[in-house]
Amino acid sequence: MKDGKILTLAIESSCDETAAAVISEGRDVLSNIISSQIDIHKQYGGVVPEIASRHHLNNVNTVVDQAIEEAGVSLDEIDLIGVTYGPGLVGALLIGLATAKAYALAADKPLIGVHHIHGHICANYIEHKELEPPFMALVISGGHTNIVEVEDYNTCRVLGGTRDDAAGEAYDKVARVLGLGYPGGPLIDKIAREGNPEAVEFKRVFLEKGSLDFSFSGIKTGVLNYINSEKQAGREINVADVAASFQAAVLDVIVAKTVGAAVDMGKDKIVLAGGVASNSMLREMLKKECEKKGIKLYYPSPVLCTDNAAMIGCAAYYRYVAGERDDLTLDAIPNLKL
Ligand code: KG4
Ligand code: ZN
Protein backbone atom coordinates (compact mmCIF):
# COMPACT_ATOMS: atom_id res chain seq x y z
CA MET A 1 0.00 0.00 0.00
CA LYS A 2 1.34 3.44 -0.91
CA ASP A 3 -0.59 6.67 -0.27
CA GLY A 4 -3.63 4.49 0.49
CA LYS A 5 -3.45 2.78 -2.91
CA ILE A 6 -3.28 -0.97 -3.51
CA LEU A 7 -0.12 -1.96 -5.38
CA THR A 8 0.16 -5.12 -7.50
CA LEU A 9 3.38 -6.70 -8.73
CA ALA A 10 2.60 -8.89 -11.72
CA ILE A 11 4.58 -11.41 -13.76
CA GLU A 12 3.78 -12.83 -17.22
CA SER A 13 5.80 -15.55 -18.98
CA SER A 14 3.28 -17.72 -20.85
CA CYS A 15 4.91 -17.52 -24.28
CA ASP A 16 7.90 -15.55 -25.57
CA GLU A 17 7.71 -12.35 -23.51
CA THR A 18 9.20 -12.14 -20.04
CA ALA A 19 7.25 -9.34 -18.41
CA ALA A 20 6.79 -7.70 -15.02
CA ALA A 21 4.78 -4.66 -13.97
CA VAL A 22 3.72 -2.69 -10.94
CA ILE A 23 0.26 -1.17 -11.05
CA SER A 24 -1.70 0.96 -8.63
CA GLU A 25 -5.41 0.42 -7.89
CA GLY A 26 -5.60 -2.08 -10.75
CA ARG A 27 -5.56 0.50 -13.52
CA ASP A 28 -2.59 2.87 -13.16
CA VAL A 29 0.66 1.58 -14.60
CA LEU A 30 3.73 2.52 -12.54
CA SER A 31 6.03 0.29 -14.60
CA ASN A 32 5.57 -2.19 -17.44
CA ILE A 33 8.77 -4.02 -18.41
CA ILE A 34 8.69 -6.40 -21.38
CA SER A 35 11.67 -8.44 -22.50
CA SER A 36 10.72 -9.90 -25.87
CA GLN A 37 12.35 -12.96 -27.39
CA ILE A 38 10.92 -12.34 -30.86
CA ASP A 39 14.36 -11.79 -32.41
CA ILE A 40 15.59 -15.11 -31.01
CA HIS A 41 12.60 -17.15 -32.24
CA LYS A 42 12.49 -15.34 -35.59
CA GLN A 43 15.29 -17.51 -36.98
CA TYR A 44 13.16 -20.64 -36.35
CA GLY A 45 9.97 -19.13 -37.82
CA GLY A 46 8.05 -19.54 -34.56
CA VAL A 47 8.37 -19.90 -30.80
CA VAL A 48 10.59 -22.83 -29.69
CA PRO A 49 9.28 -23.81 -26.21
CA GLU A 50 12.58 -25.06 -24.78
CA ILE A 51 14.44 -21.91 -25.85
CA ALA A 52 11.62 -19.74 -24.49
CA SER A 53 11.88 -21.37 -21.04
CA ARG A 54 15.63 -20.90 -20.93
CA HIS A 55 15.36 -17.21 -21.77
CA HIS A 56 12.60 -16.66 -19.22
CA LEU A 57 14.86 -18.21 -16.62
CA ASN A 58 17.78 -15.94 -17.56
CA ASN A 59 15.68 -12.77 -17.67
CA VAL A 60 12.91 -13.00 -15.12
CA ASN A 61 14.76 -11.70 -12.05
CA THR A 62 16.21 -8.71 -13.91
CA VAL A 63 12.80 -7.87 -15.37
CA VAL A 64 11.08 -8.03 -11.95
CA ASP A 65 13.85 -5.94 -10.32
CA GLN A 66 13.52 -3.37 -13.08
CA ALA A 67 9.71 -3.22 -12.69
CA ILE A 68 9.99 -2.56 -8.94
CA GLU A 69 12.78 -0.01 -9.39
CA GLU A 70 11.07 1.89 -12.20
CA ALA A 71 7.82 2.03 -10.21
CA GLY A 72 9.71 3.71 -7.35
CA VAL A 73 8.23 1.43 -4.71
CA SER A 74 9.65 -1.05 -2.24
CA LEU A 75 8.69 -4.72 -2.10
CA ASP A 76 7.24 -4.00 1.34
CA GLU A 77 4.71 -1.61 -0.19
CA ILE A 78 3.41 -4.22 -2.65
CA ASP A 79 0.03 -5.68 -1.57
CA LEU A 80 -0.25 -8.69 -3.85
CA ILE A 81 1.63 -10.70 -6.45
CA GLY A 82 -0.29 -11.55 -9.64
CA VAL A 83 0.95 -14.17 -12.09
CA THR A 84 -0.22 -15.92 -15.27
CA TYR A 85 -0.73 -19.64 -14.55
CA GLY A 86 -2.25 -20.63 -17.90
CA PRO A 87 -2.90 -21.18 -20.70
CA GLY A 88 0.53 -21.19 -22.33
CA LEU A 89 3.74 -23.17 -22.70
CA VAL A 90 4.16 -25.19 -19.55
CA GLY A 91 7.92 -24.66 -19.18
CA ALA A 92 7.50 -20.94 -19.78
CA LEU A 93 4.59 -20.60 -17.33
CA LEU A 94 6.52 -22.47 -14.62
CA ILE A 95 9.33 -19.89 -14.59
CA GLY A 96 6.97 -16.97 -13.95
CA LEU A 97 4.99 -18.96 -11.43
CA ALA A 98 8.06 -20.09 -9.46
CA THR A 99 9.30 -16.49 -9.39
CA ALA A 100 5.95 -15.15 -8.22
CA LYS A 101 5.76 -17.79 -5.49
CA ALA A 102 9.28 -16.93 -4.32
CA TYR A 103 8.33 -13.24 -3.98
CA ALA A 104 5.02 -14.09 -2.29
CA LEU A 105 6.75 -16.36 0.20
CA ALA A 106 9.77 -14.15 0.90
CA ALA A 107 7.76 -10.93 1.29
CA ASP A 108 4.69 -12.62 2.81
CA LYS A 109 2.25 -11.31 0.18
CA PRO A 110 -0.87 -12.96 -1.21
CA LEU A 111 -0.49 -14.77 -4.53
CA ILE A 112 -3.19 -14.43 -7.20
CA GLY A 113 -3.17 -16.60 -10.35
CA VAL A 114 -4.49 -15.04 -13.54
CA HIS A 115 -5.91 -16.61 -16.70
CA HIS A 116 -3.91 -15.18 -19.61
CA ILE A 117 -7.04 -14.38 -21.68
CA HIS A 118 -8.68 -12.65 -18.73
CA GLY A 119 -5.51 -10.57 -18.55
CA HIS A 120 -5.74 -9.61 -22.22
CA ILE A 121 -9.32 -8.41 -21.70
CA CYS A 122 -8.26 -6.39 -18.62
CA ALA A 123 -5.71 -4.45 -20.72
CA ASN A 124 -8.73 -2.37 -21.75
CA TYR A 125 -9.44 -1.26 -18.16
CA ILE A 126 -5.93 0.19 -18.06
CA GLU A 127 -6.32 1.98 -21.37
CA HIS A 128 -9.90 3.20 -20.83
CA LYS A 129 -10.40 4.42 -17.29
CA GLU A 130 -14.16 4.76 -17.75
CA LEU A 131 -14.71 1.22 -19.07
CA GLU A 132 -16.80 -1.09 -16.91
CA PRO A 133 -18.36 -4.50 -17.57
CA PRO A 134 -20.65 -5.90 -18.94
CA PHE A 135 -19.48 -6.07 -22.55
CA MET A 136 -18.61 -8.47 -25.38
CA ALA A 137 -14.90 -9.18 -25.86
CA LEU A 138 -12.98 -10.50 -28.83
CA VAL A 139 -9.67 -11.99 -27.70
CA ILE A 140 -7.53 -12.54 -30.74
CA SER A 141 -3.86 -13.49 -30.60
CA GLY A 142 -1.25 -16.00 -31.73
CA GLY A 143 -2.69 -18.61 -29.39
CA HIS A 144 -6.37 -17.69 -29.04
CA THR A 145 -9.45 -16.53 -30.88
CA ASN A 146 -12.39 -16.26 -28.51
CA ILE A 147 -15.65 -14.37 -28.28
CA VAL A 148 -16.16 -13.84 -24.56
CA GLU A 149 -19.15 -12.44 -22.71
CA VAL A 150 -17.76 -10.40 -19.82
CA GLU A 151 -20.43 -10.17 -17.13
CA ASP A 152 -18.42 -8.48 -14.40
CA TYR A 153 -14.77 -7.99 -13.45
CA ASN A 154 -14.29 -11.65 -12.52
CA THR A 155 -16.93 -13.48 -14.55
CA CYS A 156 -16.31 -14.32 -18.18
CA ARG A 157 -18.18 -16.79 -20.39
CA VAL A 158 -16.61 -18.10 -23.58
CA LEU A 159 -19.25 -18.13 -26.33
CA GLY A 160 -17.02 -19.34 -29.14
CA GLY A 161 -13.46 -20.14 -30.08
CA THR A 162 -11.31 -21.54 -32.83
CA ARG A 163 -11.61 -25.24 -33.63
CA ASP A 164 -8.11 -25.35 -35.10
CA ASP A 165 -5.65 -22.48 -35.68
CA ALA A 166 -5.86 -19.17 -33.82
CA ALA A 167 -6.27 -16.09 -36.01
CA GLY A 168 -2.71 -14.88 -35.27
CA GLU A 169 -1.41 -18.33 -36.12
CA ALA A 170 -3.19 -18.12 -39.49
CA TYR A 171 -1.60 -14.71 -40.11
CA ASP A 172 1.84 -16.10 -39.19
CA LYS A 173 1.45 -19.23 -41.37
CA VAL A 174 0.17 -17.32 -44.41
CA ALA A 175 2.97 -14.76 -44.00
CA ARG A 176 5.47 -17.63 -44.09
CA VAL A 177 3.88 -19.03 -47.25
CA LEU A 178 4.14 -15.56 -48.80
CA GLY A 179 7.78 -15.28 -47.71
CA LEU A 180 7.11 -12.26 -45.52
CA GLY A 181 8.87 -13.32 -42.29
CA TYR A 182 7.93 -13.69 -38.61
CA PRO A 183 5.80 -12.64 -36.80
CA GLY A 184 3.60 -12.38 -39.85
CA GLY A 185 0.62 -10.45 -38.47
CA PRO A 186 2.11 -6.95 -38.57
CA LEU A 187 3.77 -7.66 -41.95
CA ILE A 188 0.49 -8.77 -43.55
CA ASP A 189 -1.29 -5.81 -41.94
CA LYS A 190 1.19 -3.45 -43.62
CA ILE A 191 1.47 -4.99 -47.07
CA ALA A 192 -2.30 -5.63 -47.33
CA ARG A 193 -2.78 -1.84 -47.30
CA GLU A 194 -1.29 -1.80 -50.83
CA GLY A 195 -3.34 -4.74 -52.11
CA ASN A 196 -6.84 -5.36 -53.44
CA PRO A 197 -8.95 -7.37 -50.94
CA GLU A 198 -11.18 -8.55 -53.79
CA ALA A 199 -8.34 -9.82 -55.98
CA VAL A 200 -8.66 -13.46 -54.81
CA GLU A 201 -11.90 -14.98 -53.50
CA PHE A 202 -10.87 -17.06 -50.45
CA LYS A 203 -13.61 -19.04 -48.72
CA ARG A 204 -15.32 -17.42 -45.69
CA VAL A 205 -15.76 -20.21 -43.12
CA PHE A 206 -18.84 -19.47 -40.99
CA LEU A 207 -19.44 -23.07 -39.74
CA GLU A 208 -22.98 -24.05 -38.60
CA LYS A 209 -25.69 -21.41 -38.41
CA GLY A 210 -25.55 -19.58 -35.08
CA SER A 211 -22.09 -20.93 -34.17
CA LEU A 212 -19.63 -18.45 -32.68
CA ASP A 213 -16.72 -20.82 -33.33
CA PHE A 214 -14.03 -20.24 -35.94
CA SER A 215 -11.91 -22.36 -38.27
CA PHE A 216 -8.83 -20.85 -39.87
CA SER A 217 -6.76 -23.88 -40.82
CA GLY A 218 -8.33 -24.16 -44.30
CA ILE A 219 -7.33 -20.69 -45.38
CA LYS A 220 -3.61 -21.46 -45.25
CA THR A 221 -4.23 -24.36 -47.65
CA GLY A 222 -6.39 -22.06 -49.77
CA VAL A 223 -3.54 -19.57 -50.06
CA LEU A 224 -1.03 -22.35 -50.81
CA ASN A 225 -3.25 -23.84 -53.51
CA TYR A 226 -3.76 -20.43 -55.08
CA ILE A 227 0.00 -19.74 -55.14
CA ASN A 228 0.75 -23.15 -56.65
CA SER A 229 -1.87 -22.85 -59.37
CA GLU A 230 -0.70 -19.35 -60.28
CA LYS A 231 2.91 -20.54 -60.44
CA GLN A 232 1.94 -23.51 -62.61
CA ALA A 233 0.12 -21.17 -64.96
CA GLY A 234 3.31 -19.10 -65.13
CA ARG A 235 1.70 -16.06 -63.53
CA GLU A 236 3.44 -13.69 -61.12
CA ILE A 237 2.08 -13.64 -57.53
CA ASN A 238 0.95 -10.24 -56.29
CA VAL A 239 1.82 -10.62 -52.59
CA ALA A 240 -0.09 -7.49 -51.54
CA ASP A 241 -3.26 -8.70 -53.29
CA VAL A 242 -3.01 -12.17 -51.72
CA ALA A 243 -2.36 -10.68 -48.25
CA ALA A 244 -5.29 -8.28 -48.59
CA SER A 245 -7.62 -11.04 -49.86
CA PHE A 246 -6.58 -13.46 -47.07
CA GLN A 247 -7.14 -10.75 -44.49
CA ALA A 248 -10.55 -9.83 -45.90
CA ALA A 249 -11.68 -13.48 -45.76
CA VAL A 250 -10.60 -13.89 -42.14
CA LEU A 251 -11.83 -10.52 -40.91
CA ASP A 252 -15.25 -10.71 -42.63
CA VAL A 253 -16.03 -13.76 -40.47
CA ILE A 254 -14.51 -12.38 -37.26
CA VAL A 255 -16.30 -9.04 -37.53
CA ALA A 256 -19.68 -10.57 -38.44
CA LYS A 257 -19.58 -13.06 -35.56
CA THR A 258 -18.35 -10.58 -32.94
CA VAL A 259 -20.86 -7.86 -33.79
CA GLY A 260 -23.62 -10.48 -34.17
CA ALA A 261 -22.85 -11.85 -30.69
CA ALA A 262 -22.96 -8.36 -29.14
CA VAL A 263 -26.30 -7.57 -30.80
CA ASP A 264 -27.84 -10.95 -29.86
CA MET A 265 -26.72 -10.67 -26.24
CA GLY A 266 -27.78 -7.03 -25.93
CA LYS A 267 -24.29 -5.63 -25.35
CA ASP A 268 -23.58 -2.02 -26.30
CA LYS A 269 -19.79 -2.32 -25.94
CA ILE A 270 -17.21 -4.46 -27.75
CA VAL A 271 -13.72 -4.78 -26.34
CA LEU A 272 -10.77 -6.01 -28.43
CA ALA A 273 -7.77 -7.74 -26.90
CA GLY A 274 -4.66 -9.75 -27.84
CA GLY A 275 -1.86 -9.29 -30.35
CA VAL A 276 -4.09 -9.29 -33.45
CA ALA A 277 -6.18 -6.49 -31.87
CA SER A 278 -3.41 -4.20 -33.21
CA ASN A 279 -4.51 -5.03 -36.75
CA SER A 280 -5.49 -1.82 -38.50
CA MET A 281 -8.03 -3.40 -40.88
CA LEU A 282 -9.75 -5.29 -38.05
CA ARG A 283 -10.13 -2.03 -36.11
CA GLU A 284 -11.45 -0.18 -39.16
CA MET A 285 -13.97 -2.88 -40.12
CA LEU A 286 -15.21 -3.33 -36.55
CA LYS A 287 -15.50 0.40 -36.05
CA LYS A 288 -17.69 0.71 -39.14
CA GLU A 289 -19.99 -2.16 -38.13
CA CYS A 290 -20.18 -0.99 -34.51
CA GLU A 291 -21.19 2.50 -35.61
CA LYS A 292 -24.04 1.04 -37.66
CA LYS A 293 -25.34 -0.86 -34.62
CA GLY A 294 -24.76 1.88 -32.01
CA ILE A 295 -22.05 -0.17 -30.26
CA LYS A 296 -19.01 1.49 -28.67
CA LEU A 297 -15.67 -0.10 -29.59
CA TYR A 298 -12.67 -0.23 -27.24
CA TYR A 299 -9.14 -1.47 -27.88
CA PRO A 300 -5.81 -1.04 -26.11
CA SER A 301 -2.72 0.67 -27.54
CA PRO A 302 -0.30 -1.81 -29.20
CA VAL A 303 1.96 -2.21 -26.12
CA LEU A 304 -1.05 -3.42 -24.12
CA CYS A 305 -2.33 -5.65 -26.97
CA THR A 306 0.65 -7.99 -27.01
CA ASP A 307 1.69 -9.97 -23.96
CA ASN A 308 2.53 -7.78 -20.97
CA ALA A 309 2.33 -7.98 -17.19
CA ALA A 310 0.33 -4.78 -16.58
CA MET A 311 -2.80 -6.53 -17.88
CA ILE A 312 -2.09 -9.49 -15.58
CA GLY A 313 -1.75 -7.09 -12.65
CA CYS A 314 -5.12 -5.53 -13.48
CA ALA A 315 -6.85 -8.93 -13.58
CA ALA A 316 -5.13 -9.97 -10.32
CA TYR A 317 -6.26 -6.76 -8.60
CA TYR A 318 -9.94 -7.40 -9.38
CA ARG A 319 -9.67 -10.96 -8.06
CA TYR A 320 -7.90 -9.62 -4.94
CA VAL A 321 -10.52 -6.98 -4.11
CA ALA A 322 -13.21 -9.67 -4.57
CA GLY A 323 -11.46 -11.63 -1.79
CA GLU A 324 -10.02 -14.37 -4.00
CA ARG A 325 -6.64 -15.86 -3.05
CA ASP A 326 -4.36 -18.63 -4.29
CA ASP A 327 -1.63 -20.37 -2.37
CA LEU A 328 1.77 -21.84 -3.06
CA THR A 329 0.24 -25.03 -4.47
CA LEU A 330 -0.92 -23.03 -7.53
CA ASP A 331 0.25 -24.96 -10.59
CA ALA A 332 0.83 -24.07 -14.24
CA ILE A 333 -2.05 -25.28 -16.43
CA PRO A 334 -1.09 -25.16 -20.14
CA ASN A 335 -4.67 -25.64 -21.39
CA LEU A 336 -6.45 -23.69 -18.64
CA LYS A 337 -10.10 -22.98 -19.46
CA LEU A 338 -11.67 -19.58 -18.86
O1 KG4 B 1 -1.04 -11.63 -27.79
P1 KG4 B 1 0.23 -11.98 -28.48
O2 KG4 B 1 1.42 -11.09 -28.30
O3 KG4 B 1 0.72 -13.40 -28.05
C1 KG4 B 1 -0.12 -14.48 -27.85
O4 KG4 B 1 -0.65 -14.63 -26.71
O5 KG4 B 1 -0.32 -15.22 -28.85
O6 KG4 B 1 -0.13 -12.14 -30.04
C2 KG4 B 1 0.85 -12.41 -31.01
C3 KG4 B 1 0.16 -12.59 -32.36
C4 KG4 B 1 1.07 -13.06 -33.48
O7 KG4 B 1 0.46 -14.14 -34.16
C5 KG4 B 1 1.20 -11.83 -34.39
O8 KG4 B 1 1.42 -12.17 -35.74
C6 KG4 B 1 -0.15 -11.20 -34.19
O9 KG4 B 1 -0.42 -11.36 -32.80
N1 KG4 B 1 -0.17 -9.77 -34.53
C7 KG4 B 1 -0.89 -9.25 -35.55
C8 KG4 B 1 -0.62 -7.87 -35.59
N2 KG4 B 1 0.28 -7.58 -34.59
C9 KG4 B 1 0.53 -8.76 -33.94
N3 KG4 B 1 -1.74 -9.84 -36.40
C10 KG4 B 1 -2.33 -9.06 -37.32
N4 KG4 B 1 -2.10 -7.74 -37.44
C11 KG4 B 1 -1.27 -7.10 -36.61
N5 KG4 B 1 -1.04 -5.78 -36.73
ZN1 ZN C 1 -1.29 -13.35 -25.23
Side-chain angles (χ1 to χ4, degrees):
M1 190 84 76
K2 193 175 184 186
D3 306 327
K5 299 203 163 129
I6 294 175
L7 297 184
T8 306
L9 168 66
I11 301 173
E12 152 66 40
S13 68
S14 64
C15 191
D16 60 342
E17 263 93 28
T18 320
V22 175
I23 61 167
S24 168
E25 293 290 293
R27 294 198 181 211
D28 293 320
V29 178
L30 304 186
S31 63
N32 189 20
I33 311 295
I34 304 170
S35 165
S36 176
Q37 306 174 10
I38 282 188
D39 287 339
I40 297 156
H41 297 285
K42 221 178 215 166
Q43 55 190 305
Y44 306 102
V47 178
V48 183
E50 184 54 42
I51 295 177
S53 307
R54 219 175 309 143
H55 281 277
H56 285 308
L57 192 57
N58 286 342
N59 296 337
V60 71
N61 288 325
T62 315
V63 167
V64 173
D65 284 349
Q66 228 176 314
I68 295 173
E69 193 189 320
E70 202 174 284
V73 301
S74 68
L75 191 54
D76 250 6
E77 290 169 321
I78 299 284
D79 295 277
L80 64 141
I81 317 278
V83 64
T84 308
Y85 72 110
L89 304 169
V90 68
L93 287 165
L94 281 170
I95 311 290
L97 199 54
T99 309
K101 285 181 187 176
Y103 275 93
L105 184 65
D108 194 21
K109 307 289 178 187
L111 178 74
I112 312 275
V114 171
H115 191 292
H116 183 75
I117 293 186
H118 186 212
H120 270 301
I121 294 170
C122 288
N124 284 279
Y125 297 134
I126 296 174
E127 187 82 39
H128 309 284
K129 304 296 180 213
E130 77 290 0
L131 177 66
E132 283 178 17
F135 51 75
M136 195 59 74
L138 170 68
V139 184
I140 183 165
S141 72
H144 319 280
T145 311
N146 289 109
I147 295 179
V148 182
E149 184 185 14
V150 179
E151 290 167 22
D152 59 47
Y153 284 107
N154 293 314
T155 318
C156 300
R157 204 157 64 89
V158 177
L159 302 179
T162 181
R163 295 188 184 166
D164 38 59
D165 291 352
E169 204 177 343
Y171 268 89
D172 293 340
K173 285 178 175 173
V174 167
R176 196 180 313 158
V177 166
L178 291 173
L180 289 175
Y182 174 85
L187 302 168
I188 289 193
D189 189 359
K190 192 159 172 249
I191 199 163
R193 294 253 139 223
E194 294 146 32
N196 172 12
E198 286 165 12
V200 191
E201 179 72 24
F202 292 119
K203 194 166 180 268
R204 272 78 174 148
V205 183
F206 280 94
L207 301 169
E208 315 82 61
K209 198 171 177 329
S211 170
L212 292 176
D213 282 349
F214 300 99
S215 170
F216 298 118
S217 62
I219 190 126
K220 188 193 82 176
T221 319
V223 173
L224 258 177
N225 288 345
Y226 171 78
I227 291 174
N228 287 339
S229 65
E230 288 300 286
K231 275 188 183 158
Q232 267 168 15
R235 283 190 288 267
E236 195 80 5
I237 309 288
N238 183 323
V239 174
D241 278 355
V242 179
S245 302
F246 151 77
Q247 186 164 254
V250 166
L251 297 183
D252 274 353
V253 177
I254 291 171
V255 170
K257 291 203 182 209
T258 308
V259 175
V263 171
D264 288 349
M265 309 291 283
K267 300 283 187 287
D268 60 0
K269 290 174 246 176
I270 289 179
V271 160
L272 269 179
V276 187
S278 292
N279 186 271
S280 60
M281 190 54 75
L282 172 66
R283 290 177 175 197
E284 246 170 57
M285 287 170 67
L286 263 178
K287 191 163 172 265
K288 213 163 113 199
E289 285 310 302
C290 283
E291 268 166 16
K292 279 191 210 157
K293 308 278 187 216
I295 295 171
K296 201 161 176 336
L297 178 67
Y298 296 84
Y299 45 79
S301 48
V303 68
L304 290 171
C305 281
T306 47
D307 290 350
N308 66 87
M311 68 185 196
I312 302 302
C314 178
Y317 166 83
Y318 283 108
R319 291 200 57 205
Y320 175 79
V321 293
E324 295 181 33
R325 301 287 184 272
D326 288 301
D327 61 31
L328 298 179
T329 62
L330 183 69
D331 212 353
I333 306 180
N335 58 354
L336 183 66
K337 297 277 170 287
L338 195 61

